[in-house]
Amino acid sequence: MAAYTELLRNQADLLRQGLADLRAEDTELAGILDAEVTRQHRTLSLVSSSCAANPRILAASASALVNVTAEGAPGKRHQVGCENVDLVESLAIRRARELFGAQYASVQSHSASNANYQVLAALLEPGDTILGMALDHGGHLTHGSPVAFTGTHYKAIRYGTTSQGVIDYAEVRHLALAHRPRIIICGATAYSRVVDFQRFRAIADEAGAILLADISYIAGLVATGRHPSPIDVAHVTTACTHKQLAGPRGGLILSGRDADTKVPGLRGSFSRVLERAVFPRMQGSPAVNMIAAKAAALGYAMSPEFDAYMGRIRSTADAMASAFMAQDYEVVGGGTENHTILLRLRGGISGSIAASALERCGIMVSKNRALGETRSSFVANGLCIGTGSIAQRYIDPVGCREVVDLVCRILDKVTPLSEQKYCLEPELQEQFRLQTEALCAMYPIADYRGN
Ligand SMILES: *Cc1c(COP(=O)(O)O)cnc(C)c1O
């Protein structure tokens, strides 16, 4: 035991000492953590949900708030010693409401999946009917997929997209009127079009359903007015803080105009029912350190820098979509209205092969089932590409064309042997990897440069 001569009095002292101790006394873990920073610097992420939380947010998530148990809400805790926790949670709530123009905000959900489960569990009985977007059309597991809790616990009906990759609103209405779901879920995870929340609400009203909008993948575009907001349109909105908001892993539950509306069939308004949805129904004490990091992220999301970041997310997405089309790749729907590009692969290369080959060359991308694919999502026939990280590296439209060119050259050199096996010459792979590293060095992650 080292002889300490002074107290670690504040957050900075703790972090400094913690990092020094990790390096000195747990080299195995410290080495892995450092390797991950290096990996993020040296690889190019085209994963649609990816972004880098800035060091301020990382520091907030590593605060001493982790030591506090705080069941309940600010001012109404089951434990003592919560005065700073209350301030932090109140700050996060205030910022979430301000950023999204919401009347009600809950910041305790550990993730967006949890937030969705919490909302559904609060508003529905087991076995109730839910209507959500099918996973293979771009929906999320928590929207009623047969392999998820939402698909087994509820009677899940699924809608999809047209061949142009646009939500089939006529099908949504038809299914809603035929099955009378208690809740309709909109908001996708691999979708490149604007979601027409008004149209969803009109359908929900006609069918007597509650509307839940999950904006996890477009929260930053919504917050900066680049995508219509569902806050006053849907009854309830959920989001995560770690995709477009570039914050810590976590979920948000929001409600706007309908916060005070009575929930059909239940006692109390949406905000009253939602207030009990997280604690005590589904979670114990929140991760208060992560709530601090959410507060930091929500503060950042209100800054001019974040607005500019979202501007770059959009402009680079258009540039990448055009560049892929110029290389004769099919972009579903012929372009994008958000940060996502859905690419159909060619030449017998499956999504699984493309993602693996690109990863070996330092480019991270997610496979995705483009419309009409019948093979499993482990194989897939397409890619889902997003510009969250590209925009954080300030890669301009010219750089975007270079990135697309590199991706296409790699895929051209891949020889598929089966659905998942392929051949890519090791020397070529190494050349491509060095080219990726050179691009990464030319366009460093802006927030990960010190001063
Ligand atoms: C990513 C995503 C989620 C899940 O988020 P987690 O916080 O990782 O649980 C939920 N809904 C949608 C639409 C998503 O894109």
Side-chain angles (χ1 to χ4, degrees), residues 110-114 116 140 142-143 187-189 214 216-217 240 242-243 249-250:
H110 297 324
S111 78
S113 296
N114 291 27
N116 285 341
H140 191 259
T142 54
H143 297 187
T189 197
D214 174 357
S216 291
Y217 80 126
C240 71
H242 54 271
K243 291 181 181 173
R249 296 216 156 246

Side-chain angles (χ1 to χ4, degrees), residues 329-399:
Y329 271 92
E330 182 190 339
V331 170
V332 175
T336 174
E337 293 171 341
N338 55 31
H339 66 296
T340 305
I341 297 149
L342 302 174
L343 203 69
R344 196 186 290 273
L345 291 162
R346 61 187 188 203
I349 297 179
S350 66
S352 149
I353 289 177
S356 162
L358 288 166
E359 181 183 18
R360 287 197 200 166
C361 301
I363 298 178
M364 306 298 134
V365 62
S366 298
K367 54 187 179 264
N368 182 57
R369 277 202 282 190
L371 223 55
E373 171 65 291
T374 49
R375 294 173 297 181
S376 96
S377 55
F378 277 108
V379 181
N381 59 341
L383 297 178
C384 176
I385 288 170
T387 53
S389 295
I390 293 273
Q392 285 187 319
R393 288 180 178 275
Y394 282 77
I395 301 185
D396 56 16
V398 175

Side-chain angles (χ1 to χ4, degrees), residues 2-294:
Y4 290 114
T5 51
E6 57 182 323
L7 268 184
L8 306 175
R9 290 180 193 281
N10 56 37
Q11 172 75 10
D13 288 352
L14 285 172
L15 287 184
R16 210 176 308 109
Q17 185 70 45
L19 291 173
D21 286 353
L22 252 186
R23 283 236 160 85
E25 288 162 34
D26 192 347
T27 47
E28 186 176 8
L29 178 58
I32 299 171
L33 299 183
D34 285 340
E36 177 57 16
V37 178
T38 305
R39 186 193 72 82
Q40 292 184 17
H41 275 301
R42 289 198 189 153
T43 57
L44 197 60
S45 177
L46 304 181
V47 174
S48 69
S49 58
S50 82
C51 61
N54 68 44
R56 260 181 287 168
I57 294 167
L58 300 181
S61 77
S63 59
L65 292 165
V66 74
N67 300 330
V68 185
T69 297
E71 291 171 326
K76 285 178 281 182
R77 301 289 184 188
H78 291 260
Q79 289 82 18
V80 293
C82 291
E83 66 263 33
N84 295 316
V85 160
D86 281 4
L87 290 174
V88 160
E89 187 169 345
S90 300
L91 181 65
I93 290 171
R94 199 172 77 223
R95 288 181 177 174
R97 289 177 54 182
E98 187 182 337
L99 178 66
F100 289 103
Q103 287 180 46
Y104 171 83
S106 165
V107 297
Q108 294 196 351
S109 303
H110 297 324
S111 78
S113 296
N114 291 27
N116 285 341
Y117 291 138
Q118 286 153 355
V119 170
L120 294 179
L123 298 176
L124 277 67
E125 293 294 330
D128 275 356
T129 302
I130 66 175
L131 175 59
M133 192 169 180
L135 193 62
D136 55 355
H137 286 243
H140 191 259
L141 279 170
T142 54
H143 297 187
S145 163
V147 301
F149 178 78
T150 48
T152 54
H153 205 65
Y154 303 108
K155 179 164 178 271
I157 312 289
R158 288 170 282 273
Y159 59 85
T161 59
T162 67
S163 60
Q164 284 306 295
V166 178
I167 290 167
D168 190 340
Y169 292 96
E171 183 191 27
V172 176
R173 179 169 178 272
H174 171 77
L175 291 172
L177 295 177
H179 295 278
R180 300 283 166 174
R182 172 133 171 100
I183 201 163
I184 298 176
I185 310 174
C186 62
T189 197
Y191 186 64
S192 56
R193 296 288 155 195
V194 164
V195 179
D196 191 341
F197 296 120
Q198 300 276 2
R199 201 151 168 195
F200 268 107
R201 178 61 190 256
I203 294 168
D205 284 346
E206 192 180 354
I210 295 166
L211 183 62
L212 167 63
D214 174 357
I215 56 166
S216 291
Y217 80 126
I218 48 166
L221 293 175
V222 169
T224 58
R226 289 179 173 82
H227 187 291
S229 169
I231 299 292
D232 282 328
V233 181
H235 296 89
V236 185
T237 297
T238 51
C240 71
T241 46
H242 54 271
K243 291 181 181 173
Q244 265 187 359
L245 293 180
R249 296 216 156 246
L252 301 173
I253 302 174
L254 306 157
S255 184
R257 210 183 51 195
D258 280 307
D260 296 331
T261 304
K262 182 185 170 302
V263 181
L266 293 182
R267 293 217 339 250
S269 63
F270 279 93
S271 58
R272 281 293 301 272
V273 170
L274 292 173
E275 197 55 28
R276 295 187 299 265
V278 181
F279 177 85
R281 272 185 90 102
M282 299 277 270
Q283 265 180 212
S285 179
V288 191
N289 54 313
M290 300 312 267
I291 292 179
K294 286 179 193 179

